[in-house]
Amino acid sequence: MRNSSGRGLQPNVLGTFDTIVMAIAGSAPAYSIAATTAVLVASVGLAGPAALLYCAIPMLGIVLAFSRLGRIDVNAGASYSWVGRTLHPFLGFLSGWALVVSATIFMVAGSLPAGAMTLALFDPALAENTFLATAVGTAWFLTMLLVVLGGARLTVRAQLLMSGVELLILLAFILAALLHNGSAAAFDWSWFGFSHFDGPAGFASGALVAAFYYWGWDVTSNLSEETRDSRRTAGLAALVGVGVVFLLFEAFTIAVNVLLTASEIKADGANVLGLLGDAVWPGVGGKLLVVAVLLSTVATLETTLIQVTRSLFAMGRDRTMPAALGTVHRRWNTPWVAVAVVGAVALAMFVASTALGSIGDVLSAAVAAIGLQIAFYYGLAGIAAVVAYRGMLLTSVRDFVLGGLWPLLGALFMFWIFVEALSELSAASIAIGIGGLAAGLVPMIRYWRRGSSYYRPARLDATRAVAAEEHYANSASQRTDYADKSPATDF
């Protein structure tokens, strides 16, 4: 359903390279390394490289699921639309709601460290002041909010600058680490095996942390309505993006194992990249990596804003949330009402976060709750891909593996992480994670009772979609009619 203004998002703004950059920025390599390496080491010790490797395999199954679903349903809501049209509209809405909740929580989890790191560049003592860090983090957040409001072109230009500098710094330190002489431990191939895990429970805890490393690449799907040839580009960019960040994560985790001792990481885990930078390049190395983390954090704030605002736009367009959320700005072609609402909610959360204690406490609680949301909507998308392509799975070995087996294994892995997390997390984190999902029942039931057409979906079936695509490609008149009348949400 179209938004109330009759306008949609601006199509064909982003190219393949732009979308790959957004996928990499969405996973926030430097931020993920800085925020969770100490947690990963505490969970699995030297098995960090193995945890990242064995989580990447099922994660690629979810990437494949998003890619294949995006070929037959181009929608800014992504899993919100796909799950609703294959499994059930209630599950689809909750899938989209999970992304909205996790992304909104991340506004605090990302903005507060950005503020603290900015202050630390000038005076490390200032970084411990929660009020000041919140104020500076809020300034970064508002800046990115304005960039996102300005449109996809401005967004990707800012992203190219921030992510480009970040990746150059990270690559320089990887090379420096390879040439570094001193070491805390010798490299060992057993770091990629299972011997360092403390049984299945230890592996599960490591996998839960590793899942947070990768989260964010799916911003390419939320940008699909604004991407050229998005049926191919969004999935390809996600695959390339996950591949790039996997290599970066592995390289830095190995460097941490080699250059830092467990006691050093435990003593100052929140500054693990700073420690690594000083070990590789004493004096300025730590500062440079702090700059990389700051740029990564701000960059992923931008991609997260893209995800949440596009998801809310799709919900407003479908009347499963207030219709105003589907309103597009006449000049910038962005969902400005959704941007304004997210900004207001995030600012309220910034104020509330100052009452939760130190920045570390806020970050820890937020990341723990986000893990449940990620596992939930990724898992549902994996199942949706199998259901959508069920009629084509036996046509070839390739379709069976890439369209059925791998996405299914990825989905089962995500649900396993979800269940394991319930036994590992604190009561407060579980309350935030599950409570955030449960809150979605209120708008879901309200707009279902009001008769939103989203709850009477046209079933998403790959066999019919491919047939429709062939018919579309062979008919110039139908191609013109589609361009004039369709909101680019499906065949």
Side-chain angles (χ1 to χ4, degrees):
M1 181 179 291
R2 300 192 78 114
N3 57 72
S4 57
S5 68
R7 295 172 59 84
L9 301 170
Q10 186 174 2
N12 302 322
V13 176
L14 306 178
T16 302
F17 180 73
D18 302 328
T19 315
I20 290 173
V21 171
M22 297 299 284
I24 294 171
S27 292
Y31 170 81
S32 298
I33 294 165
T36 48
T37 295
V39 181
L40 184 64
V41 172
S43 299
V44 297
L46 294 173
L52 289 166
L53 171 62
Y54 298 124
C55 186
I57 295 171
M59 185 63 75
L60 282 174
I62 304 302
V63 176
L64 288 169
F66 271 70
S67 175
R68 292 172 73 83
L69 288 166
R71 293 176 192 173
I72 57 176
D73 183 10
V74 177
N75 193 296
S79 62
Y80 154 80
S81 173
W82 304 331
V83 174
R85 294 182 61 187
T86 52
L87 304 183
H88 194 280
F90 286 178
L91 289 175
F93 180 86
L94 290 178
S95 178
W97 183 261
L99 188 151
V100 170
V101 171
S102 59
T104 304
I105 291 174
F106 184 78
M107 301 307 167
V108 177
S111 297
L112 291 184
M117 282 181 285
T118 303
L119 293 170
L121 290 174
F122 299 97
D123 185 354
L126 291 176
E128 299 301 319
N129 187 316
T130 302
F131 176 79
L132 275 179
T134 302
V136 177
T138 301
W140 275 119
F141 170 77
L142 290 175
T143 301
M144 290 301 101
L145 197 73
L146 292 174
V147 170
V148 170
L149 182 62
R153 277 198 179 90
L154 178 60
T155 299
V156 78
R157 286 171 183 168
Q159 199 61 256
L160 285 168
L161 176 62
M162 293 184 292
S163 296
V165 175
E166 171 201 354
L167 291 177
L168 285 175
I169 294 174
L170 292 180
L171 290 173
F173 270 87
I174 290 173
L175 293 174
L178 289 174
L179 299 174
H180 189 71
N181 292 324
S183 64
F187 172 80
D188 194 329
W189 284 106
S190 70
W191 296 345
F192 291 93
F194 290 93
S195 61
H196 292 284
F197 290 112
D198 185 17
F203 176 76
S205 63
L208 181 64
V209 176
F212 180 76
Y213 272 78
Y214 294 107
W215 176 57
W217 52 264
D218 48 310
V219 66
T220 61
S221 297
N222 298 106
L223 284 168
S224 60
E225 293 185 33
E226 299 158 89
T227 304
R228 290 191 293 275
D229 191 19
S230 62
R231 299 186 191 280
R232 179 193 67 87
T233 302
L236 173 63
L239 284 168
V240 174
V242 170
V244 170
V245 296
F246 166 72
L247 294 175
L248 287 172
F249 291 153
E250 287 288 11
F252 269 87
T253 306
I254 292 169
V256 167
N257 280 2
V258 170
L259 298 175
L260 301 179
T261 64
S263 59
E264 287 176 319
I265 297 170
K266 184 178 180 181
D268 199 6
N271 187 35
V272 66
L273 275 187
L275 290 174
L276 185 63
D278 286 330
V280 173
W281 191 357
V284 297
K287 289 283 188 182
L288 274 177
L289 281 181
V290 169
V291 171
V293 176
L294 174 60
L295 290 172
S296 179
T297 305
V298 175
T300 198
L301 274 178
E302 184 186 75
T303 59
T304 307
L305 278 166
I306 288 284
Q307 286 193 282
V308 68
T309 55
R310 269 46 176 187
S311 295
L312 288 174
F313 163 78
M315 291 175 167
R317 179 173 60 188
D318 291 343
R319 307 297 197 275
T320 58
M321 290 283 279
L325 293 171
T327 304
V328 174
H329 195 279
R330 291 190 174 275
R331 178 179 178 184
W332 299 317
N333 287 100
T334 52
W336 70 272
V337 176
V339 172
V341 168
V342 170
V345 171
L347 289 175
M349 291 178 65
F350 291 145
V351 174
S353 69
T354 58
L356 296 180
S358 70
I359 293 172
D361 295 336
V362 175
L363 179 60
S364 177
V367 170
I370 286 172
L372 292 174
Q373 313 293 342
I374 297 169
F376 180 78
Y377 84 84
Y378 276 0
L380 286 177
I383 298 295
V386 176
V387 173
Y389 279 85
R390 62 190 181 280
M392 302 175 65
L393 296 183
L394 299 181
T395 57
S396 69
V397 174
R398 180 177 183 274
D399 281 320
F400 178 74
V401 173
L402 300 184
L405 183 60
W406 207 341
L408 178 62
L409 291 177
L412 295 177
F413 184 80
M414 292 300 155
F415 290 136
W416 175 66
I417 285 178
F418 185 93
V419 173
E420 286 293 331
L422 294 178
S423 63
E424 295 287 334
L425 297 178
S426 66
S429 294
I430 293 174
I432 293 172
I434 301 299
L437 277 176
L441 295 175
V442 176
M444 182 184 78
I445 293 173
R446 179 184 178 187
Y447 287 94
W448 168 62
R449 295 184 65 179
R450 291 178 64 173
S452 167
S453 61
Y454 173 83
Y455 295 104
R456 302 185 303 276
R459 304 299 295 177
L460 188 60
D461 183 272
T463 304
R464 292 200 303 268
V466 169
E469 181 183 23
E470 293 173 351
H471 184 64
Y472 159 85
N474 292 330
S475 175
S477 61
Q478 289 182 1
R479 189 158 58 243
T480 302
D481 183 67
Y482 177 85
D484 289 342
K485 297 182 180 180
S486 170
T489 56
D490 60 22
F491 290 98

